[in-house]
């Protein structure tokens, strides 16, 4: 595992809680406000819930990232659920959350490309 990166295997409701807590902690450590850290944790929780509900197993990866004059978090959700096999590859969803002045900005991609 790379520095500034957390991986959580998602197989049960307990794993959802763990991923959410780890995401909130990383967001706080990077300097996101308490409210923004909660929004990030909620997004992680929703992604992990979808893994448990529809794919049964998967992984959430949370990374500290640096962009042009800004810091952020990338949240990557992957699974091998039946829906992803339709496309012949693992389902991968990538979200970036950036600290941008007083705003939390987000970008997303369903196939992992931004």
């Amino acid at each position: 595992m790379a520095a500034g990166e957390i991986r959580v295997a998602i197989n049960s409701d307990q794993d959802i809680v763990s991923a959410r807590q780890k995401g909130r902690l990383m967001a706080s450590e990077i300097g996101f406000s308490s409210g923004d850290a909660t929004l990030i944790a909620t997004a992680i929780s929703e992604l992990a819930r979808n893994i448990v509900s529809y794919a049964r197993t998967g992984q959430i990866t949370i990374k500290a990232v640096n962009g042009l004059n800004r810091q952020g978090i990338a949240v990557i959700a992957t699974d091998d659920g039946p829906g992803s096999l339709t496309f012949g590859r693992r389902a991968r969803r990538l979200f970036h959350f950036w600290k941008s002045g007083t705003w939390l900005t987000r970008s997303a991609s369903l196939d992992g490309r931004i």
Side-chain angles (χ1 to χ4, degrees):
M1 181 174 0
E5 180 178 299
I6 299 168
R7 294 180 186 215
V8 182
I10 304 296
N11 301 301
S12 69
D13 289 344
Q14 277 304 110
D15 299 328
I16 296 168
V17 173
S18 178
R20 179 183 176 92
Q21 290 171 338
K22 290 175 181 182
R24 182 191 304 266
L25 179 61
M26 182 181 281
S28 295
E29 288 174 350
I30 288 174
F32 281 95
S33 70
S34 175
D36 286 346
T38 297
L39 291 174
I40 292 167
T42 300
I44 291 168
S45 183
E46 289 296 320
L47 290 166
R49 168 66 52 209
N50 284 341
I51 290 171
V52 170
S53 295
Y54 301 109
R56 307 269 192 261
T57 64
Q59 179 174 275
I60 296 286
T61 303
I62 308 161
K63 294 180 177 184
V65 294
N66 292 304
L68 298 173
N69 301 320
R70 59 187 182 173
Q71 288 183 297
I73 287 182
V75 178
I76 304 157
T78 56
D79 67 68
D80 286 317
S84 60
L85 296 179
T86 303
F87 300 104
R89 68 178 193 280
R90 297 186 79 181
R92 182 174 183 197
R93 293 156 206 87
L94 170 64
F95 292 85
H96 277 124
F97 298 91
W98 297 105
K99 290 190 321 178
S100 178
T102 58
W103 298 93
L104 175 70
T105 59
R106 182 191 75 156
S107 58
S109 169
L110 292 179
D111 65 0
R113 293 187 304 254
I114 292 290

